Amino acid sequence: MCGIVGYVGKDNAKSVLVESLKRLEYRGYDSAGVALLTDEGIRTFKKVGKIRDFQVELNKINLYSNIGIAHTRWATHGKPVINNAHPHLSCDGKVALVHNGIIENYSSLKEELLSKGHNFVSDTDTEVIVHLIEEELKSENSFFSAFLKALSRLKGSFAISVITVLEPDKVFCARKDSPLVVGLGDGENFVASDVPAFLPYTNRVVFLEDGEVAVLSKDEVSFYDFSGVPLSKEVMTVPWSISQAEKGGYKHFMLKEIYEQPKAVADAIRGNSGWFEEGAPLDFNFEQLEGIHIVACGTSYHAGLIAKFYIESFSRVPVNVDYASEFRYRDPVISDKTLIVGITQSGETADTLAALRLGKERGATTLAICNVIGSTATREADGTIYTYAGPEISVASTKAFTTQLTSLFLFALWLGKVRGALKQEEFESLYGELLELPSKLESFLNTERKEGTVKELALNFYKAKDVLYLGRHVNYPIALEGALKLKEISYIHAEGYPSGEMKHGPIALIDERMPVIFLATKGRVYEKVVSNMEEVKARKGKVISVLNPSCKEANNLTDYPIYVPEVNEFLSPILNVVPLQLFAYYIADFLGYEVDQPRNLAKSVTVE
Ligand code: F6R
């Protein structure tokens, strides 16, 4: 996730900005850049790689300025190379801009600006914004109004900071769906995407809300809405240490990442909706596609199991899902009409890379579903669908999983459309329901934040020795994922099963000490799951259920209900997994374990 910093004040902006960027390193980045306003105009400096190396280079440059902006980039559009690093400049070099987020309409804006003679030097969506401001300046009578005019043309998410020689003592900022916070100092002011950036200088902060603008000068900060109407904003004092602030006040990265899911899912939707207008996510004859092999490991494998339901139901293309570590030893049937889809958050998992390579060797086309731009999988595969989760720091995967599912759902919808298997009304209804998913996730998480249902449940069960997770259809893989999360971070034995399979063996385990977690939300298998709940109840098992408030039959059989909003059954896994992530998180925390770094596990497994 990119990081923004802006400074105007009494100190050497170069040092303040680089030190502040270092405090945003935890967000992950692949390149960094700084723009400083000097008597000779704007000077920019950029580097791919580590900030400490960048700092060494900058220290050698003798340059003093009191105002500037800086950025750490985590690539989304365009590779991690110098030209794509921010800040970006207008053609005349009078405006410099840094941006976090995704500009959805950047292609059409870029076309328009190119036709008006603007010269682009990067592959980023960001660069359109600075050219748009430059274009608006031709007809507007102030920089501020040109800035507002440009904002009104942007679709998507953005946190922006801008400096300009036309207003040499101001930093202009705006926020929509991407965080931005102002730090109020004494004779100096700051803006950043996160509080730790400026915490050594001030803990007096103003959080910008969506649709708000801030204009910073050395001695004051003014706030406006996007139409330029002044706003008065509340100043808050943040009582956090730097390490608490990095986690946004959450105790662990895992909890922060769980709570980031509404935004991450919204970003995955934004980032991957372009195919419906712009065409295929990779160069392949999809009409001739005969079959898909999905290869992945761990949590990504569970996303693959759900993707099978999506792709087969929406596009009628047959799908096999394999553990990547097994795929190459089973001599799979592959042809040039086969697509191999490797799902990998990191893009570096050795088994998944090997499976993709095998597919390629045998003449298939390969597609990576990946979160990390420039990773090996994205370089080697014929095409990539990015998941836009932002960096995931906790070893146990949460938001990477829900954004994989979101991206795969979109891919399946797209495939269904191009193959003519999905009617326009079905497409519109499914897509419409997907668009509502981020707010439903938000609503569940807000209720949990207030009521702590899952936390209390974890307090009841953290001493359990075994936990059984049961689900059917698209929620069977969620049972597997819930069990994996619990095993990984709390070291409690857990198993996931399709609930219809229970009577063929695992039912022998059920007694009054066995917690059984059911995924019992509305869908085609709801009644079947209710029957399976009866079987557990009859054997005195303790029933915990993830269910909708309208699931009366399931509720009657449940000892500990966790209510989630009702969504289309195909989307229910993306919502239902969230309470299971929280359950695992709180149990591990109650047991006093290192939640973010569980024993024996690594964030990317680069060995076979
Ligand atoms: C579980 C987890 C692992 C990974 C697996 C694959 O929380 O993080 O199971 O999902 O190691 O990693 P990627 O997706 O990077 O290939």
Coordinates of all heavy atoms in Angstrom, one line a residue, residues 58-132:
L58 N 20.1 11.0 -1.2 CA 19.6 12.4 -1.0 C 20.5 13.2 -0.1 O 20.6 14.4 -0.3 CB 18.2 12.3 -0.4 CG 17.1 12.0 -1.3 CD1 15.8 11.9 -0.5 CD2 16.9 13.0 -2.4
N59 N 21.2 12.5 0.8 CA 22.1 13.3 1.7 C 23.2 13.9 1.0 O 23.8 14.9 1.4 CB 22.6 12.3 2.8 CG 21.6 12.0 3.8 OD1 20.6 12.7 3.9 ND2 21.8 11.0 4.6
K60 N 23.5 13.3 -0.2 CA 24.7 13.9 -0.9 C 24.2 15.1 -1.7 O 25.1 15.8 -2.3 CB 25.2 12.8 -1.9 CG 25.8 11.7 -1.2 CD 26.4 10.7 -2.2 CE 26.6 9.3 -1.6 NZ 26.4 8.2 -2.5
I61 N 22.9 15.4 -1.8 CA 22.5 16.5 -2.6 C 22.3 17.7 -1.7 O 21.6 17.6 -0.7 CB 21.1 16.1 -3.3 CG1 21.4 15.0 -4.3 CG2 20.6 17.3 -4.1 CD1 20.1 14.3 -4.7
N62 N 22.9 18.8 -2.1 CA 22.9 20.0 -1.3 C 21.7 20.8 -1.7 O 21.7 21.5 -2.7 CB 24.2 20.8 -1.4 CG 24.3 21.8 -0.3 OD1 23.5 21.8 0.6 ND2 25.3 22.6 -0.4
L63 N 20.6 20.7 -1.0 CA 19.4 21.4 -1.4 C 18.5 21.7 -0.2 O 18.3 20.8 0.6 CB 18.6 20.4 -2.3 CG 17.3 20.9 -3.0 CD1 17.7 21.8 -4.2 CD2 16.5 19.8 -3.4
Y64 N 18.1 22.9 -0.1 CA 17.3 23.3 1.1 C 15.9 23.8 0.6 O 15.8 24.6 -0.2 CB 18.0 24.3 1.9 CG 17.4 24.4 3.3 CD1 17.7 23.6 4.3 CD2 16.4 25.4 3.6 CE1 17.1 23.6 5.6 CE2 15.8 25.5 4.8 CZ 16.2 24.6 5.8 OH 15.6 24.7 7.0
S65 N 14.9 23.3 1.3 CA 13.5 23.7 0.9 C 12.7 23.5 2.2 O 12.9 22.5 2.9 CB 13.0 22.9 -0.2 OG 11.6 22.9 -0.3
N66 N 11.6 24.3 2.4 CA 10.8 24.1 3.5 C 9.4 23.4 3.2 O 8.6 23.3 4.0 CB 10.4 25.5 4.1 CG 11.6 26.1 4.7 OD1 12.0 27.2 4.3 ND2 12.3 25.5 5.6
I67 N 9.3 23.1 1.9 CA 8.0 22.5 1.5 C 8.2 21.4 0.5 O 9.0 21.5 -0.4 CB 7.1 23.6 1.0 CG1 5.8 23.0 0.4 CG2 7.7 24.5 -0.1 CD1 4.7 24.1 0.2
G68 N 7.5 20.3 0.7 CA 7.6 19.2 -0.3 C 6.6 18.1 0.0 O 5.8 18.1 0.9
I69 N 6.6 17.1 -1.0 CA 5.7 16.0 -0.8 C 6.6 14.7 -1.1 O 7.6 14.8 -1.8 CB 4.5 16.0 -1.8 CG1 5.0 16.3 -3.2 CG2 3.5 17.0 -1.3 CD1 3.9 16.2 -4.3
A70 N 6.2 13.6 -0.6 CA 7.0 12.4 -0.8 C 6.0 11.2 -0.9 O 4.9 11.2 -0.4 CB 8.0 12.2 0.3
H71 N 6.6 10.0 -1.3 CA 5.7 8.9 -1.6 C 6.5 7.6 -1.6 O 7.6 7.5 -2.0 CB 5.1 9.1 -3.0 CG 4.0 8.1 -3.4 ND1 4.2 7.0 -4.1 CD2 2.7 8.2 -3.1 CE1 3.0 6.4 -4.3 NE2 2.1 7.1 -3.7
T72 N 5.9 6.6 -1.0 CA 6.4 5.2 -1.2 C 5.3 4.5 -2.1 O 4.2 4.6 -1.8 CB 6.6 4.4 0.1 OG1 5.5 4.7 0.9 CG2 7.9 4.8 0.8
R73 N 5.8 3.9 -3.2 CA 4.8 3.3 -4.1 C 4.8 1.8 -4.0 O 5.9 1.2 -3.9 CB 5.2 3.7 -5.5 CG 4.4 3.0 -6.6 CD 4.7 3.6 -8.0 NE 3.7 3.1 -8.9 CZ 4.0 2.1 -9.8 NH1 5.2 1.6 -9.8 NH2 3.0 1.7 -10.6
W74 N 3.6 1.2 -3.9 CA 3.5 -0.2 -4.0 C 2.7 -0.4 -5.3 O 1.5 -0.1 -5.3 CB 2.7 -0.7 -2.8 CG 2.9 -2.2 -2.5 CD1 4.1 -2.7 -2.1 CD2 2.0 -3.2 -2.7 NE1 3.9 -4.1 -2.0 CE2 2.6 -4.4 -2.4 CE3 0.7 -3.2 -3.1 CZ2 2.0 -5.6 -2.4 CZ3 0.0 -4.5 -3.2 CH2 0.7 -5.6 -2.8
A75 N 3.4 -0.9 -6.3 CA 2.8 -0.8 -7.7 C 1.5 -1.4 -7.8 O 1.2 -2.5 -7.3 CB 3.8 -1.5 -8.6
T76 N 0.6 -0.7 -8.5 CA -0.7 -1.3 -8.9 C -0.9 -1.2 -10.4 O -1.1 -2.1 -11.1 CB -1.9 -0.6 -8.2 OG1 -1.8 0.8 -8.5 CG2 -2.0 -0.9 -6.8
H77 N -0.7 0.0 -11.0 CA -0.7 0.2 -12.5 C 0.7 0.5 -12.9 O 1.2 1.5 -12.7 CB -1.6 1.3 -12.9 CG -3.1 1.0 -12.7 ND1 -3.7 1.0 -11.5 CD2 -4.0 0.7 -13.6 CE1 -4.9 0.8 -11.6 NE2 -5.2 0.6 -12.9
G78 N 1.3 -0.5 -13.6 CA 2.7 -0.2 -14.1 C 3.7 -0.8 -13.2 O 3.5 -0.8 -11.9
K79 N 4.8 -1.3 -13.8 CA 5.8 -2.0 -13.0 C 6.6 -1.0 -12.0 O 6.5 0.2 -12.2 CB 6.9 -2.5 -14.0 CG 6.4 -3.5 -14.9 CD 7.6 -4.3 -15.5 CE 7.1 -5.4 -16.4 NZ 6.9 -5.0 -17.8
P80 N 7.3 -1.6 -11.0 CA 8.0 -0.8 -10.1 C 9.3 -0.3 -10.7 O 10.4 -0.8 -10.6 CB 8.3 -1.7 -8.9 CG 8.1 -3.1 -9.4 CD 7.3 -3.0 -10.7
V81 N 9.2 0.8 -11.5 CA 10.4 1.4 -12.2 C 10.4 2.9 -11.9 O 9.3 3.4 -11.5 CB 10.4 1.1 -13.7 CG1 10.6 -0.4 -14.0 CG2 9.1 1.6 -14.4
I82 N 11.5 3.5 -12.1 CA 11.6 5.0 -11.8 C 10.5 5.8 -12.4 O 9.9 6.6 -11.7 CB 13.0 5.5 -12.3 CG1 14.1 5.0 -11.4 CG2 13.0 7.0 -12.4 CD1 14.4 5.8 -10.1
N83 N 10.2 5.6 -13.7 CA 9.2 6.4 -14.4 C 7.9 6.3 -13.7 O 7.1 7.3 -13.8 CB 9.1 6.0 -15.8 CG 10.1 6.7 -16.7 OD1 11.0 7.5 -16.1 ND2 10.1 6.5 -18.0
N84 N 7.6 5.2 -13.1 CA 6.3 5.0 -12.5 C 6.2 5.5 -11.1 O 5.2 5.6 -10.5 CB 5.8 3.5 -12.6 CG 5.5 3.1 -14.0 OD1 5.2 3.9 -14.8 ND2 5.6 1.8 -14.3
A85 N 7.4 5.7 -10.5 CA 7.4 6.2 -9.1 C 6.9 7.6 -9.0 O 7.0 8.4 -10.0 CB 8.9 6.1 -8.6
H86 N 6.2 7.9 -7.9 CA 5.7 9.3 -7.7 C 6.8 10.1 -7.0 O 7.7 9.5 -6.5 CB 4.5 9.3 -6.7 CG 3.4 8.3 -7.2 ND1 2.1 8.5 -6.8 CD2 3.4 7.2 -7.9 CE1 1.4 7.5 -7.3 NE2 2.1 6.7 -8.0
P87 N 6.8 11.4 -7.0 CA 5.8 12.3 -7.5 C 5.8 12.4 -9.1 O 6.8 12.1 -9.7 CB 6.2 13.7 -7.0 CG 7.1 13.4 -5.8 CD 7.8 12.1 -6.1
H88 N 4.6 12.7 -9.6 CA 4.5 12.9 -11.1 C 4.3 14.4 -11.3 O 3.8 15.1 -10.5 CB 3.3 12.1 -11.6 CG 3.5 10.7 -11.6 ND1 4.4 10.0 -12.5 CD2 3.0 9.7 -10.8 CE1 4.4 8.7 -12.2 NE2 3.6 8.5 -11.2
L89 N 4.9 14.8 -12.4 CA 4.9 16.3 -12.8 C 4.0 16.6 -13.9 O 3.8 15.7 -14.8 CB 6.3 16.7 -13.2 CG 7.4 16.7 -12.1 CD1 8.8 16.9 -12.6 CD2 7.0 17.8 -11.0
S90 N 3.5 17.8 -13.9 CA 2.8 18.3 -15.1 C 3.8 18.5 -16.2 O 5.0 18.6 -16.0 CB 2.0 19.6 -14.8 OG 3.0 20.5 -14.3
C91 N 3.3 18.7 -17.5 CA 4.2 18.9 -18.6 C 5.2 20.1 -18.4 O 6.4 20.0 -18.7 CB 3.5 19.1 -19.9 SG 2.4 17.8 -20.4
D92 N 4.6 21.2 -17.8 CA 5.5 22.3 -17.6 C 6.3 22.3 -16.3 O 7.0 23.2 -16.0 CB 4.6 23.6 -17.7 CG 3.6 23.6 -16.5 OD1 3.6 22.8 -15.7 OD2 2.7 24.5 -16.6
G93 N 6.2 21.2 -15.6 CA 6.9 21.0 -14.4 C 6.5 21.9 -13.2 O 7.2 22.0 -12.2
K94 N 5.3 22.6 -13.4 CA 4.9 23.5 -12.3 C 4.1 22.9 -11.2 O 3.8 23.5 -10.2 CB 4.2 24.7 -12.9 CG 5.0 25.6 -13.7 CD 4.2 26.8 -14.2 CE 5.2 27.7 -15.0 NZ 4.4 28.7 -15.8
V95 N 3.6 21.7 -11.4 CA 2.8 21.0 -10.5 C 3.4 19.6 -10.2 O 3.7 18.9 -11.2 CB 1.3 20.8 -10.9 CG1 0.4 20.3 -9.9 CG2 0.8 22.2 -11.5
A96 N 3.5 19.2 -8.9 CA 3.9 17.8 -8.6 C 2.9 17.2 -7.7 O 2.3 17.8 -6.9 CB 5.3 17.9 -7.9
L97 N 2.7 15.9 -7.9 CA 1.6 15.2 -7.2 C 1.9 13.8 -6.8 O 2.6 13.1 -7.5 CB 0.4 15.2 -8.2 CG -0.9 14.4 -7.8 CD1 -2.1 15.2 -8.2 CD2 -0.9 13.0 -8.4
V98 N 1.5 13.4 -5.6 CA 1.5 12.0 -5.2 C 0.1 11.5 -4.9 O -0.7 12.3 -4.5 CB 2.4 11.8 -3.9 CG1 3.9 12.1 -4.2 CG2 2.0 12.8 -2.8
H99 N -0.1 10.2 -5.1 CA -1.4 9.7 -5.0 C -1.4 8.3 -4.5 O -0.5 7.5 -4.8 CB -2.0 9.7 -6.5 CG -3.2 8.8 -6.7 ND1 -3.2 7.8 -7.7 CD2 -4.4 8.7 -6.1 CE1 -4.4 7.2 -7.7 NE2 -5.1 7.7 -6.7
N100 N -2.4 7.9 -3.6 CA -2.7 6.6 -3.2 C -4.1 6.3 -3.8 O -4.9 7.1 -3.7 CB -2.8 6.4 -1.7 CG -1.4 6.5 -1.1 OD1 -0.4 6.5 -1.7 ND2 -1.4 6.5 0.2
G101 N -4.3 5.0 -4.2 CA -5.6 4.6 -4.6 C -5.6 4.2 -6.1 O -4.6 3.9 -6.7
I102 N -6.8 4.1 -6.7 CA -6.9 3.7 -8.0 C -7.9 4.6 -8.8 O -9.0 4.8 -8.3 CB -7.5 2.2 -8.1 CG1 -6.6 1.3 -7.3 CG2 -7.8 1.8 -9.5 CD1 -7.2 -0.1 -7.1
I103 N -7.4 5.2 -9.9 CA -8.3 6.0 -10.7 C -8.9 5.1 -11.7 O -8.3 4.7 -12.7 CB -7.5 7.2 -11.4 CG1 -6.8 8.0 -10.3 CG2 -8.4 8.1 -12.2 CD1 -7.7 8.7 -9.3
E104 N -10.3 4.9 -11.6 CA -10.9 4.0 -12.4 C -11.1 4.4 -13.9 O -11.0 3.7 -14.8 CB -12.3 3.7 -11.9 CG -12.4 2.8 -10.7 CD -13.7 2.8 -10.0 OE1 -14.7 2.9 -10.7 OE2 -13.7 2.8 -8.8
N105 N -11.3 5.7 -14.1 CA -11.5 6.2 -15.4 C -10.2 6.8 -16.0 O -10.3 7.7 -16.8 CB -12.6 7.3 -15.4 CG -12.3 8.5 -14.5 OD1 -11.6 8.3 -13.5 ND2 -12.9 9.6 -14.8
Y106 N -9.1 6.3 -15.6 CA -7.8 6.9 -16.1 C -7.6 6.7 -17.6 O -7.1 7.6 -18.2 CB -6.6 6.4 -15.3 CG -6.0 5.1 -15.7 CD1 -4.8 5.2 -16.5 CD2 -6.5 3.9 -15.4 CE1 -4.2 4.0 -17.0 CE2 -5.9 2.7 -15.9 CZ -4.8 2.8 -16.7 OH -4.2 1.7 -17.1
S107 N -8.1 5.5 -18.1 CA -7.8 5.3 -19.6 C -8.5 6.4 -20.4 O -7.9 7.0 -21.3 CB -8.4 4.0 -20.1 OG -8.1 3.0 -19.2
S108 N -9.8 6.7 -20.1 CA -10.5 7.7 -20.9 C -9.9 9.1 -20.7 O -9.8 9.8 -21.6 CB -12.0 7.6 -20.6 OG -12.2 7.8 -19.3
L109 N -9.5 9.4 -19.4 CA -8.9 10.7 -19.1 C -7.6 10.8 -19.9 O -7.3 11.9 -20.4 CB -8.7 10.9 -17.6 CG -9.9 11.1 -16.8 CD1 -9.6 11.1 -15.3 CD2 -10.6 12.4 -17.1
K110 N -6.8 9.7 -19.9 CA -5.5 9.8 -20.5 C -5.7 10.0 -22.0 O -5.0 10.9 -22.6 CB -4.8 8.4 -20.3 CG -3.3 8.5 -20.7 CD -2.6 7.3 -20.2 CE -1.2 7.3 -20.7 NZ -0.3 6.2 -20.1
E111 N -6.7 9.3 -22.6 CA -6.9 9.5 -24.1 C -7.2 11.0 -24.3 O -6.7 11.6 -25.3 CB -8.1 8.7 -24.4 CG -7.9 7.7 -25.6 CD -9.0 6.8 -25.7 OE1 -10.0 7.2 -26.3 OE2 -8.9 5.6 -25.2
E112 N -8.1 11.5 -23.5 CA -8.5 12.9 -23.7 C -7.3 13.9 -23.5 O -7.1 14.8 -24.4 CB -9.6 13.3 -22.6 CG -10.1 14.7 -22.6 CD -10.9 15.0 -21.4 OE1 -11.7 14.1 -20.9 OE2 -10.8 16.1 -20.8
L113 N -6.5 13.6 -22.5 CA -5.4 14.5 -22.3 C -4.3 14.4 -23.3 O -3.7 15.4 -23.7 CB -4.8 14.3 -20.9 CG -5.7 14.7 -19.7 CD1 -5.4 14.0 -18.4 CD2 -5.7 16.2 -19.5
L114 N -4.1 13.1 -23.8 CA -3.2 12.9 -24.9 C -3.6 13.7 -26.1 O -2.8 14.4 -26.8 CB -3.1 11.5 -25.3 CG -2.2 10.6 -24.3 CD1 -2.5 9.1 -24.6 CD2 -0.7 10.9 -24.5
S115 N -4.9 13.7 -26.4 CA -5.4 14.4 -27.6 C -5.3 15.9 -27.4 O -5.2 16.7 -28.4 CB -6.9 14.1 -27.9 OG -7.7 14.7 -26.9
K116 N -5.1 16.4 -26.2 CA -4.9 17.8 -26.0 C -3.4 18.2 -25.9 O -3.1 19.3 -25.5 CB -5.6 18.3 -24.7 CG -7.1 18.2 -24.9 CD -7.9 18.7 -23.6 CE -9.4 18.8 -23.9 NZ -10.2 18.7 -22.8
G117 N -2.6 17.2 -26.2 CA -1.2 17.5 -26.3 C -0.3 17.2 -25.0 O 0.8 17.5 -25.0
H118 N -1.0 16.6 -24.0 CA -0.2 16.3 -22.8 C 0.8 15.1 -23.1 O 0.4 14.1 -23.8 CB -1.1 16.0 -21.6 CG -1.8 17.2 -21.1 ND1 -1.3 17.9 -20.0 CD2 -2.9 17.8 -21.6 CE1 -2.1 18.9 -19.8 NE2 -3.0 18.9 -20.8
N119 N 1.9 15.2 -22.4 CA 2.9 14.1 -22.6 C 3.0 13.3 -21.4 O 3.3 13.8 -20.3 CB 4.3 14.9 -22.9 CG 5.3 13.9 -23.3 OD1 5.1 12.8 -23.7 ND2 6.6 14.3 -23.0
F120 N 2.8 12.0 -21.5 CA 2.9 11.1 -20.4 C 4.2 10.3 -20.3 O 4.7 9.9 -21.4 CB 1.7 10.1 -20.4 CG 0.4 10.7 -20.0 CD1 -0.3 11.5 -20.9 CD2 -0.1 10.4 -18.8 CE1 -1.5 12.1 -20.5 CE2 -1.3 11.0 -18.4 CZ -2.0 11.8 -19.3
V121 N 4.8 10.2 -19.1 CA 6.0 9.5 -19.0 C 5.9 8.2 -18.3 O 6.9 7.5 -18.1 CB 7.1 10.4 -18.4 CG1 7.4 11.6 -19.3 CG2 6.7 10.8 -17.0
S122 N 4.7 7.9 -17.7 CA 4.6 6.7 -16.9 C 3.5 5.8 -17.3 O 2.7 6.3 -18.2 CB 4.4 7.1 -15.4 OG 3.0 7.4 -15.2
D123 N 3.4 4.6 -16.8 CA 2.2 3.7 -17.1 C 1.2 3.8 -16.0 O 0.3 3.0 -15.9 CB 2.7 2.3 -17.1 CG 3.8 2.0 -18.1 OD1 3.7 2.6 -19.2 OD2 4.7 1.3 -17.8
T124 N 1.3 4.8 -15.1 CA 0.4 4.8 -13.9 C -0.9 5.5 -14.2 O -1.0 6.3 -15.1 CB 1.1 5.6 -12.8 OG1 1.2 7.0 -13.2 CG2 2.4 5.1 -12.4
D125 N -1.9 5.1 -13.4 CA -3.2 5.8 -13.4 C -3.0 7.2 -12.8 O -3.7 8.2 -13.2 CB -4.3 5.0 -12.7 CG -3.8 4.7 -11.3 OD1 -2.6 4.6 -11.0 OD2 -4.7 4.4 -10.4
T126 N -2.1 7.4 -11.9 CA -1.9 8.6 -11.1 C -1.5 9.8 -12.1 O -2.0 10.9 -11.8 CB -0.7 8.4 -10.2 OG1 -1.0 7.4 -9.2 CG2 -0.3 9.7 -9.4
E127 N -0.7 9.5 -13.1 CA -0.2 10.7 -13.8 C -1.3 11.5 -14.5 O -1.1 12.7 -14.7 CB 0.8 10.1 -14.9 CG 1.7 11.3 -15.4 CD 2.6 10.8 -16.5 OE1 2.7 9.6 -16.8 OE2 3.2 11.7 -17.1
V128 N -2.5 10.8 -14.8 CA -3.5 11.6 -15.4 C -4.0 12.8 -14.5 O -4.4 13.8 -15.0 CB -4.8 10.8 -15.7 CG1 -4.5 9.7 -16.7 CG2 -5.5 10.2 -14.5
I129 N -3.9 12.6 -13.2 CA -4.4 13.7 -12.3 C -3.6 15.0 -12.4 O -4.2 16.0 -12.5 CB -4.4 13.2 -10.8 CG1 -4.9 11.8 -10.6 CG2 -5.2 14.2 -9.9 CD1 -4.7 11.2 -9.2
V130 N -2.3 14.8 -12.5 CA -1.5 16.0 -12.5 C -1.7 16.8 -13.9 O -1.7 18.0 -13.9 CB 0.0 15.7 -12.2 CG1 0.7 15.0 -13.2 CG2 0.7 17.0 -11.8
H131 N -1.8 16.0 -14.9 CA -2.1 16.6 -16.2 C -3.5 17.2 -16.3 O -3.7 18.3 -16.9 CB -1.9 15.6 -17.4 CG -0.5 15.2 -17.6 ND1 0.4 16.0 -18.1 CD2 0.1 14.0 -17.2 CE1 1.6 15.3 -18.1 NE2 1.5 14.2 -17.6
L132 N -4.4 16.6 -15.6 CA -5.8 17.1 -15.5 C -5.8 18.5 -14.8 O -6.4 19.4 -15.3 CB -6.7 16.1 -14.8 CG -8.2 16.2 -14.9 CD1 -8.6 16.2 -16.4 CD2 -8.8 15.1 -14.2

